[in-house]
């Protein structure tokens, strides 16, 4: 068994390695990579087959982190 598996899950491991890789890139490439990692969550309530207004649940992680 690998040492990191005793400390955290695979998802956490992947997050740590991705962050380390992005930090090692040159400025221009780092900005492009960070844009690809940006996500946001929205939901929309539907009634009678009609979609309502979309609501942003959480801002992207990179925006909140700053």
């Amino acid at each position: 068994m690998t040492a990191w598996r005793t400390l955290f899950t695979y998802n956490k491991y992947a997050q740590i390695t991705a962050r380390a890789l992005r930090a090692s890139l040159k400025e221009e490439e780092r900005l492009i990579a960070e844009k690809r990692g940006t996500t946001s969550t929205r939901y929309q309530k539907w009634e009678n087959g009609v979609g309502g207004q979309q609501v942003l649940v959480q801002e992207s992680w990179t925006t909140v982190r700053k």
Side-chain angles (χ1 to χ4, degrees):
M1 181 177 266
T2 55
W4 61 266
R5 284 204 178 264
T6 61
L7 300 173
F8 38 78
T9 64
Y10 177 77
N11 286 338
K12 186 66 174 175
Y13 169 77
Q15 180 185 29
I16 292 169
T17 56
R19 189 181 318 146
L21 176 64
R22 280 188 227 106
S24 68
L25 295 173
K26 292 181 180 177
E27 184 70 19
E28 184 176 326
E29 288 81 8
R30 183 183 59 79
L31 292 174
I32 293 169
E34 283 184 359
K35 285 180 184 177
R36 280 194 306 257
T38 301
T39 60
S40 62
T41 305
R42 290 188 253 169
Y43 75 91
Q44 182 177 19
K45 186 174 181 178
W46 287 70
E47 291 183 9
N48 301 323
V50 179
Q53 182 179 2
Q54 290 187 1
V55 178
L56 183 63
V57 175
Q58 180 181 4
E59 292 185 28
S60 68
W61 184 75
T62 53
T63 304
V64 173
R65 186 177 59 167
K66 291 180 181 178

